[in-house]
Amino acid sequence: MALPIADYALIGDRRTGALVGTNGSIDWLCLPRFDSSACFAGLLGTDEHGHWQLCPVDDYEVSRRYVGASSALETTFTTATGVVTLTDVMPPGDDRADVVRRVRGVSGTVRMRHEWMVRLDYGAILPWVQRETVDGEAVITAIGGPDLLVLRGPRLPRASDHRHTDEFDVAADAVLTFSTTWLPSHLPVGDLGVQDDRVDASIAEEQDWAGRCRADMPHPDLVRRSLSTLRLLTDAETGGIVAAPTTSLPEDPGGQRNWDYRFCWLRDAALTIGALIEAGYTAEAQLWRGWLLRAVAGDPADLQIVYAVDGSRRLTEVDLPHLPGYADSRPVRIGNGASLQRQLDVLGEVMIALEQTRQATGHADRSAWALQRALVENLAKTWQQPDHGLWEVRGPQQRFTHSQAMVWAAFDRAVRAIEDFDLDGPVDEWRELRDTARAEVLDHGFDHARGTFVQHYETTEVDASLLVLPQIGFIAGDDPRMLGTIAAIEEDLIRDGLVLRYRTETGVDGLPGDEHPFLACSFWLVSAYARAGRTDDALALFDRLCGLANDVGLLPEEYDAARTRMIGNFPQAFSHLALVRAAFDLRTA
């Protein structure tokens, strides 16, 4: 069965990513893209649904690290007879994808086990596997439909019961390099190249990128790892950033809150731009910005909240009944029905990100402004409609306070663009709409009796999304109304010292079951504390949250503090984005 989520680490080539366990097993890999079908899907089932493992035959102790600031993962196995390291990396390629695994003897002699078990289409299809010779080299190929996988190495495992296995000894200083390469099945196999050169070049490039990050903030190494993780979750060609490389890791183990996060949310893309600019990566932010503008292009009325990696729109949600799910959590879903939802907040986040880009570069980009103007003009006609909100509730639409505050932000940034960069637009109309939207939130989105902002206009419940109101400039962080909101969230939404998104027992999301504290919300509380002048509380909470990262600095979607376990899709871009934002808010404070 799959390991605890914290026992996995992410490697990737910025087109897709693999989860590698502390047992040397790759239990999740979609090829060739993040949103392609998985060829190793043991994470959502058992070994029979596909995995690739290299580990000692006998008992071992394990430690691991990323090589410097790169995404190359080094796992050290220590046995009674010796020590070996396993280095896993996915060097970037053109029309192919490679996973390279290098076994190196450190001391003594260690007997290793090698198992390669390909199952295509999320573990549903047994491929046709055979031995071939390519450019004089013996390889194993696995083919099914559009996919072709090629296994290379100095020792090729033998077939037995629809899997390939081998055992071999590794002495000190011995080096054995194995690789799996994905190619389109209709192309001939050839020119596979020398893997070691690509591995070293990949590590050097990633080290250089991470080394340019500013370091004047708390926990700078974890901030760098978060930024490197965000980069790893980004398609290098299109600029689309996926929310996570996984699907259906449950928010409620054994329950139904299992979603596919291998897609690109406008919100995440916009927040990534802000994080990169804050960290000093102005040029790199342009890649994300380009994806953002292409994705939202078209009729403003057709704006979606989430798109595929290449910007395509159809993300039909279906279940995979052949997979038992992580921790027996069903259904296992691919696709995401939230793509059809209405979420007013996303345009506010997009406008904020594009405003940050203008301010950082000093470039107005008038061609991009035409699209932004069309989006804001459409918002002017629709902003008072209810929506599904930031959390993609599957219950009734509401006038969510956070959504309406982001409406204010959209109009505010549009006005700033005209005032600061002499862009054209109906500035008087937008100023009036900005003021009207703010007055409405202060009137209908605030509980005067309790002194707190509320989740939506028809409730007295609070919501963690209210914590971002100072971040977007809607209200000062030390305003009494914001201080009251922080107090209400502390009273209603804190579980084991961490922050829930909202109280699920109200039924607002239309789903059965419960969930655990959402890590991004806890980082938002850090930022809210910092802006409220509660610096000691902010530092203490930030230190605790950073301590929840696993041994290689990765964070999940949620955390179950009572059982000290990670919950939800992993690693989660939103968690790492919020960590970076909180670090810079603490720096400012």
Side-chain angles (χ1 to χ4, degrees):
M1 299 297 292
L3 300 171
I5 291 170
D7 287 354
Y8 288 100
L10 176 69
I11 60 172
D13 61 2
R14 299 186 63 206
R15 289 192 68 205
T16 188
L19 290 191
V20 186
T22 52
N23 60 353
S25 182
I26 295 177
D27 289 343
W28 183 253
L29 175 61
C30 300
L31 292 173
R33 298 192 336 185
F34 290 108
D35 51 5
S36 299
S37 63
C39 61
F40 301 131
L43 181 70
L44 299 180
T46 69
D47 287 349
E48 298 298 322
H49 295 102
H51 73 292
W52 182 17
Q53 186 172 24
L54 282 160
C55 70
V57 171
D58 298 321
D59 292 341
Y60 57 84
E61 295 181 355
V62 64
S63 63
R64 59 184 181 168
R65 66 182 183 100
Y66 282 117
V67 178
S70 78
S71 64
L73 179 69
E74 182 184 271
T75 304
T76 300
F77 297 108
T78 301
T79 73
T81 61
V83 179
V84 298
T85 61
L86 171 64
T87 301
D88 290 314
V89 66
M90 294 185 67
D94 297 322
D95 295 323
R96 57 190 275 181
D98 297 279
V99 182
V100 183
R101 318 197 73 185
R102 181 188 294 164
V103 180
R104 183 187 300 274
V106 177
S107 63
T109 299
V110 178
R111 189 153 186 83
M112 296 288 289
R113 175 176 175 79
H114 184 191
E115 183 161 282
W116 192 70
M117 189 172 178
V118 175
R119 296 292 184 268
L120 302 174
D121 194 21
Y122 302 99
I125 294 177
L126 188 67
W128 180 259
V129 183
Q130 57 186 343
R131 289 176 179 263
E132 298 184 31
T133 300
V134 177
D135 295 334
E137 178 185 7
V139 301
I140 297 175
T141 61
I143 190 169
D147 302 308
L148 169 65
L149 274 68
V150 182
L151 176 65
R152 306 167 64 193
R155 293 179 57 102
L156 294 178
R158 309 298 299 183
S160 175
D161 193 25
H162 300 298
R163 66 181 69 203
H164 284 71
T165 60
D166 186 27
E167 290 187 5
F168 54 90
D169 291 326
V170 179
D173 299 323
V175 178
L176 295 86
T177 300
F178 301 90
S179 67
T180 293
T181 298
W182 177 93
L183 295 165
S185 62
H186 64 277
L187 296 180
V189 181
D191 191 24
L192 294 173
V194 179
Q195 299 289 22
D196 287 349
D197 293 343
R198 300 178 68 220
V199 168
D200 294 339
S202 176
I203 292 174
E205 190 276 334
E206 290 178 335
Q207 295 260 48
D208 177 69
W209 188 88
R212 291 185 281 123
C213 176
R214 61 192 304 174
D216 54 341
M217 82 290 287
H219 295 276
D221 290 341
L222 199 54
V223 171
R224 288 194 196 94
R225 177 53 55 194
S226 291
L227 288 165
S228 294
T229 300
L230 293 171
R231 187 174 187 245
L232 206 58
L233 293 175
T234 303
D235 187 285
E237 295 180 1
T238 69
I241 175 173
V242 297
T246 55
T247 179
S248 299
L249 291 181
E251 297 173 14
D252 182 18
Q256 301 178 23
R257 296 171 181 259
N258 319 313
W259 315 110
D260 192 348
Y261 279 7
R262 298 170 301 147
F263 305 114
C264 306
W265 272 254
L266 292 185
R267 183 182 302 109
D268 293 32
L271 293 172
T272 298
I273 289 173
L276 285 169
I277 290 173
E278 189 87 32
Y281 292 105
T282 303
E284 285 81 356
Q286 301 300 317
L287 179 65
W288 279 266
R289 177 182 174 277
W291 178 88
L292 194 66
L293 291 171
R294 292 192 303 274
V296 303
D299 188 336
D302 296 331
L303 181 72
Q304 291 189 182
I305 62 158
V306 58
Y307 298 82
V309 173
D310 61 1
S312 55
R313 296 171 176 244
R314 294 191 184 276
L315 307 179
T316 305
E317 185 176 300
V318 298
D319 299 346
L320 299 180
H322 70 277
L323 284 172
Y326 184 90
D328 294 321
S329 303
R330 298 182 181 89
V332 172
R333 294 181 171 96
I334 59 172
N336 200 305
S339 61
L340 304 177
Q341 287 190 351
R342 171 183 170 81
Q343 295 180 23
L344 283 171
D345 70 290
V346 295
L347 183 55
E349 278 129 2
V350 167
M351 293 298 291
I352 289 172
L354 296 176
E355 166 71 10
Q356 289 173 312
T357 306
R358 278 191 294 270
Q359 295 293 345
T361 63
H363 179 47
D365 195 349
R366 296 180 185 277
S367 61
W369 172 249
L371 173 59
Q372 297 166 57
R373 174 174 172 169
L375 291 169
V376 176
E377 287 174 342
N378 183 71
L379 180 66
K381 304 172 186 176
T382 61
W383 70 274
Q384 290 181 310
Q385 297 176 9
D387 74 330
H388 292 95
L390 165 72
W391 305 126
E392 301 174 357
V393 301
R394 301 205 173 192
Q397 295 185 17
Q398 304 285 351
R399 297 287 303 282
F400 286 99
T401 301
H402 172 265
S403 295
Q404 297 301 310
M406 295 307 298
V407 164
W408 168 87
F411 290 130
D412 179 70
R413 275 28 176 217
V415 169
R416 290 191 198 181
I418 295 171
E419 293 176 341
D420 296 347
F421 289 89
D422 195 29
L423 295 167
D424 64 302
V427 67
D428 291 335
E429 175 191 346
W430 289 350
R431 285 195 190 105
E432 183 177 350
L433 285 171
R434 176 185 64 181
D435 295 343
T436 301
R438 186 171 192 274
E440 186 180 277
V441 170
L442 294 177
D443 186 20
H444 298 289
F446 189 79
D447 180 352
H448 293 273
R450 194 179 183 192
T452 178
F453 287 101
V454 293
Q455 183 180 51
H456 60 80
Y457 290 180
E458 304 299 325
T459 187
T460 57
E461 291 285 326
V462 293
D463 188 295
S465 63
L466 302 168
L467 292 168
V468 307
L469 298 185
Q471 291 185 33
I472 65 173
F474 182 85
I475 194 169
D478 59 355
D479 186 289
R481 291 166 292 191
M482 196 61 218
L483 298 180
T485 301
I486 294 172
I489 288 172
E490 289 174 322
E491 183 176 348
D492 292 359
L493 300 184
I494 298 290
R495 179 187 293 175
D496 299 318
L498 304 175
V499 184
L500 297 164
R501 296 190 294 180
Y502 49 83
R503 296 200 308 156
T504 56
E505 56 264 37
T506 66
V508 67
D509 59 17
L511 294 167
D514 195 10
E515 63 178 28
H516 296 278
F518 200 77
L519 287 182
C521 298
S522 297
F523 283 113
W524 288 348
L525 183 57
V526 172
S527 293
Y529 281 155
R531 292 170 181 267
R534 295 172 59 178
T535 309
D536 290 343
D537 291 335
L539 283 168
L541 180 55
F542 190 68
D543 287 344
R544 185 191 174 192
L545 292 170
C546 289
L548 299 182
N550 72 357
D551 55 323
V552 290
L554 300 181
L555 291 167
E557 181 180 10
E558 300 180 2
Y559 194 82
D560 179 359
R563 297 176 178 84
T564 60
R565 62 177 179 174
M566 293 184 171
I567 296 291
N569 283 301
F570 172 87
Q572 177 81 351
F574 216 177
S575 299
H576 287 283
L577 284 166
L579 182 151
V580 174
R581 176 72 270 161
F584 285 116
D585 283 338
L586 276 169
R587 172 183 172 274
T588 300

